[in-house]
Amino acid sequence: MRKKGKKKKDKDNKMTPFEKIISEVAAEYTGEKYLEECMKFPVDAKERIARRHRLIALGFVKGSTLDEVNESLAAGGCEKLYARSLWEMTLSYVFLNGLSYKECMKLHQIAKDARSRWGIQEKWFPGGKITVPQLEGYIRENSGEPEECLVTGRVTKRMEQVMKGLDGSEREYRTLLLDNLEHFSKAREKTKYYFCKYLCRYLWQKIEDAAKAVGQGKDKDAIFEDMNMFQIITVSKRKKRAPKEIRELFRNAPISCRGIFDAFDNFYFGYVTTEWKDILWESYGKIEVLSEEKKAELAEKIRSHNPSLKEKTNDEVIEEGMRRQEQKECSLDEKHKKGEKKSYQSGRNGENVIRKYIRGVLDVDRTTLICFLLFFSSGTELPPEEVLSRERLDDILEECGFYALDNEREFDDFILYYMEAEDPASYLVDEVMRYAQMEKNSPLYKTFLESRSMEEEWEKLGI
């Protein structure tokens, strides 16, 4: 006779990872207490993603409505369900109509079959190069009328409204699915849209500035040096051109994702990619002129992260810290000589991440979207309705399924002060130094770290 334990183990092995999450949530769920556990803010992005999955699983356990699931996701700092994701559209349909997980998976299989039959094709950025006209075409396609105002299209909202009028049957699900197959995307289309829209505005401004500088007879080499967000071959730089020709040259040149990342990192003084330990060393200045009090303070900070230095004197600790810092700098200088970037997420990595954002392969996370929108809009002449005020940024975040800016959250508080500061550059320096003194990386350091493909995350869970 087979033992019960063996039978249970076999059953567990057949479950998908997401089904195991539902099973675990159901076993632990004790009303609001479990919900509070889900809401605890974790330190790391992977835990944040896990929390999103657990909150969705909790929706099945509680029999929640779509509004209730989205409210709990927003309260937990997670993205709401997204109607243009094939799987999350199915979830939305299920929660909206009070269907079970078993019914959900049956519908999702229909969606997977439809995808394998017709696929989801990348229409706008299929090749190796990305140009301004391609960005413009994508923005026009995903915007409403009038075209010159680039008013955001309402595909997601329309799909959500259509869903609300359906009866929850398999037949109506199939109709919804097939009517909108061309609108599904692997990443959140709305975040990609706003990223591309403000990037395009930024590039237009850079092109116009270059054309004006040429018309004013300014140094051509200096003009081209400031345009490293485009890939221009050397021979094109040597040729004398009129402002109109300069506009055409850059409009039709491939954009440089590496150049855009470098400009972004430089805009934030490199603090996006600089660790607090490096900033801390800089903040103390010349070690040889430090007072004994400052030396003791610095030595204590170093000891707190290296227990092996506990018995050494302050001077010995600082000397050891300087030696390690010099080794790190030498290593970075070697990489720089070889043409590599000096930071953990720049160079090829930063370039590839930006390309993936534009192509919709990677979801732009909330932190990164905010930082890039602020960068793209700085020094860019924008239509009044696109100027990045707090109200405008809140609207964009909510359109993308994110929560609005909240002073109670550390990063949001940092951003709001930055936006309202009389001298944003000085505020940025002061804040980064303040975080370094607390032995913490600034909120800017989180840029890129939470970006991932939501579709891939679901696939890992057996969906």
Side-chain angles (χ1 to χ4, degrees):
M1 182 184 289
R2 184 188 294 180
K3 294 181 180 178
K4 288 184 179 179
K6 171 74 173 170
K7 189 174 181 180
K8 183 180 184 300
K9 189 175 180 181
D10 289 342
K11 185 181 176 182
D12 287 346
N13 289 337
K14 290 178 182 176
M15 294 171 71
T16 68
F18 187 60
E19 285 169 347
K20 288 178 182 177
I21 291 175
I22 293 178
S23 178
E24 178 191 334
V25 169
E28 295 178 9
Y29 174 59
T30 54
E32 292 304 312
K33 186 178 178 184
Y34 186 81
L35 187 58
E36 287 171 12
E37 288 300 309
C38 283
M39 295 302 184
K40 286 183 180 173
F41 287 98
V43 231
D44 122 345
K46 289 183 180 177
E47 287 182 52
R48 183 185 65 81
I49 294 295
R51 183 177 352 113
R52 186 172 188 264
H53 294 154
R54 290 168 75 86
L55 286 170
I56 292 169
L58 184 62
F60 279 109
V61 174
K62 293 178 66 179
S64 301
T65 64
L66 177 59
D67 286 343
E68 288 169 346
V69 170
N70 278 330
E71 283 169 14
S72 69
L73 287 170
C78 303
E79 299 90 341
K80 296 177 183 178
L81 290 174
Y82 181 54
R84 290 178 72 177
S85 156
L86 204 59
W87 166 240
E88 297 197 7
M89 180 277 286
T90 306
L91 284 174
S92 298
Y93 188 81
V94 164
F95 286 125
L96 196 58
N97 292 286
L99 304 181
S100 68
Y101 180 73
K102 186 177 179 181
E103 291 170 308
C104 175
M105 291 310 295
K106 184 180 178 182
L107 295 178
H108 185 55
Q109 188 58 52
I110 295 170
K112 287 171 74 174
D113 291 343
R115 167 177 277 186
S116 63
R117 195 175 300 121
W118 289 288
I120 294 177
Q121 301 298 323
E122 174 52 67
K123 182 179 179 181
W124 291 107
F125 312 106
K129 295 178 180 179
I130 299 168
T131 62
V132 169
Q134 282 181 317
L135 286 167
E136 291 169 342
Y138 167 75
I139 293 163
R140 276 195 302 273
E141 179 78 9
N142 288 276
S143 300
E145 297 291 342
E147 283 187 359
E148 63 270 18
C149 292
L150 298 180
V151 181
T152 309
R154 301 286 175 180
V155 177
T156 308
K157 293 288 184 189
R158 180 185 59 75
M159 286 176 66
E160 290 172 349
Q161 287 302 318
V162 168
M163 266 194 282
K164 289 178 181 177
L166 303 181
D167 62 12
S169 67
E170 182 180 314
R171 179 181 55 80
E172 295 215 333
Y173 174 81
R174 285 180 185 274
T175 303
L176 174 71
L177 175 68
L178 296 176
D179 285 350
N180 293 282
L181 204 57
E182 65 178 310
H183 298 306
F184 292 112
S185 56
K186 293 184 178 181
R188 286 180 171 260
E189 200 64 39
K190 198 65 77 175
T191 54
K192 171 185 169 182
Y193 170 84
Y194 280 114
F195 184 91
C196 289
K197 181 175 181 177
Y198 278 82
L199 166 62
C200 202
R201 291 289 193 196
Y202 165 76
L203 295 174
W204 285 347
Q205 187 69 56
K206 298 299 287 187
I207 291 170
E208 194 56 36
D209 290 347
K212 285 180 181 177
V214 166
Q216 292 166 359
K218 293 185 178 178
D219 181 62
K220 188 172 62 175
D221 290 338
I223 293 169
F224 275 94
E225 191 176 330
D226 193 41
M227 297 293 286
N228 65 347
M229 61 289 301
F230 294 94
Q231 299 176 40
I232 302 293
I233 57 174
T234 306
V235 68
S236 296
K237 295 179 182 179
R238 293 175 184 156
K239 188 177 177 181
K240 188 174 180 181
R241 297 174 188 273
K244 184 178 178 181
E245 293 174 306
I246 284 290
R247 289 188 184 95
E248 283 306 304
L249 173 68
F250 285 114
R251 267 187 57 78
N252 295 305
I255 67 171
S256 168
C257 292
R258 174 176 286 200
I260 292 167
F261 176 86
D262 289 345
F264 169 78
D265 200 31
N266 289 334
F267 176 76
Y268 291 110
F269 307 106
Y271 292 145
V272 167
T273 54
T274 305
E275 293 186 350
W276 69 265
K277 291 178 184 176
D278 301 320
I279 296 167
L280 188 65
W281 276 102
E282 289 180 17
S283 72
Y284 278 91
K286 292 184 178 180
I287 303 299
E288 56 271 21
V289 297
L290 283 182
S291 65
E292 290 303 316
E293 184 182 352
K294 284 289 180 185
K295 280 185 180 180
E297 181 183 289
L298 176 58
E300 192 53 41
K301 289 181 185 295
I302 297 170
R303 281 193 196 96
S304 67
H305 293 274
N306 191 345
S308 67
L309 301 175
K310 190 175 181 181
E311 302 302 322
K312 293 183 181 275
T313 66
N314 290 343
D315 286 334
E316 288 172 334
V317 169
I318 291 172
E319 187 178 338
E320 175 66 15
M322 288 177 66
R323 184 182 66 77
R324 293 187 182 190
Q325 194 69 11
E326 285 169 10
Q327 285 178 342
K328 183 178 179 181
E329 286 298 322
C330 287
S331 173
L332 291 173
D333 287 340
E334 281 300 312
K335 288 183 179 181
H336 187 61
K337 286 177 187 175
K338 293 175 184 176
E340 299 175 32
K341 285 291 291 177
K342 289 190 175 185
S343 57
Y344 78 97
Q345 59 194 12
S346 49
R348 293 296 299 180
N349 287 337
E351 173 185 353
N352 290 336
V353 166
I354 289 175
R355 185 176 289 107
K356 287 177 180 179
Y357 288 156
I358 295 171
R359 290 207 168 114
V361 177
L362 197 65
D363 284 289
V364 189
D365 64 275
R366 184 178 181 275
T367 298
T368 303
L369 179 66
I370 291 171
C371 288
F372 265 102
L373 292 182
L374 290 172
F375 161 62
F376 290 147
S377 63
S378 179
T380 300
E381 290 183 25
L382 296 168
E385 69 275 8
E386 291 180 22
V387 173
L388 218 57
S389 62
R390 174 173 183 171
E391 183 181 5
R392 169 66 175 165
L393 190 49
D394 278 344
D395 287 343
I396 289 173
L397 291 173
E398 289 176 349
E399 282 279 331
C400 294
F402 300 126
Y403 51 87
L405 292 167
D406 180 357
N407 300 71
E408 297 300 314
R409 298 178 189 266
E410 183 182 41
F411 173 73
D412 291 13
D413 192 50
F414 175 87
I415 288 298
L416 287 167
Y417 270 105
Y418 177 80
M419 290 174 70
E420 295 165 6
E422 288 185 18
D423 184 356
S426 295
Y427 169 75
L428 181 62
V429 173
D430 291 343
E431 279 299 285
V432 169
M433 290 299 180
R434 184 174 71 83
Y435 275 93
Q437 290 292 337
M438 295 189 295
E439 303 171 35
K440 292 170 64 179
N441 287 318
S442 80
L444 289 174
Y445 197 76
K446 296 175 183 176
T447 308
F448 297 106
L449 297 181
E450 295 182 354
S451 291
R452 53 188 27 83
S453 167
M454 287 295 181
E455 180 164 286
E456 286 180 11
E457 292 293 324
W458 282 116
E459 285 174 358
K460 288 175 188 175
L461 292 177
I463 301 304

